[in-house]
Amino acid sequence: MTDNIDQPETEVSSAQTGDANDESATADTSASEMASESTFDEEEARLEFSDTVTIETGKDDLWAFISQAENLADCIPGAESVERLSERHYTCEITRGISRVRVSLDGEFELVEMNEPDWIVMEGNGFDSTTGSDFDVLAAMEMNEHDEGTDLSYSAELYYTGGVARLGARLLSRVIRGDIETYFQNIKDDVEAQ
């Protein structure tokens, strides 16, 4: 898969992030140091992702899967727990390693708009107390059926603030892009296995 990634809207000096090309400088930054840094806390950075994956199934079967938020949550890399609060509102805990930092997100997400069986819009947010970082995501999925199956097109905007920004946009986008690819591959595998 090929993702389109925009650089963060906020420019960050090398003093705040460490040299993006110096892996050792990034690796030596501890989570507690990142959490104690406040110079980035008032700024917000953004990453964007979009792509299309073809799934060998009909639009109705794909809709039946992705319109159930618990199915989507089960496909998230690093998801440790998912709890249903209402029909469209869920909480989750996600743990991921980024370089030498372990990020443990306590978050929630909601299916805010649905147009069966064509598209879904989701909003979510999470907080990592280790680095003092906030994450907000807005994502959309659209389905178009054809002779070979259904194209599932997605787009997502991720906004983040706090200490995790010291890891650098390049590293974050690489890790997040990998998780997004895994996420949609998991959806494809689960749907095609049914």
Side-chain angles (χ1 to χ4, degrees), residues 178-193:
D179 280 354
I180 289 174
E181 290 176 353
T182 300
Y183 175 69
F184 282 96
Q185 185 62 47
N186 289 344
I187 292 175
K188 177 179 172 70
D189 292 345
D190 285 358
V191 170
E192 291 182 348

Side-chain angles (χ1 to χ4, degrees), residues 15-18 26 29 33-34 37 39-40 162-168:
Q16 291 170 318
T17 62
T26 301
T29 303
E33 288 173 332
M34 285 192 296
E37 288 290 332
T39 56
F40 197 85
V164 74
R166 289 178 48 82
L167 292 171

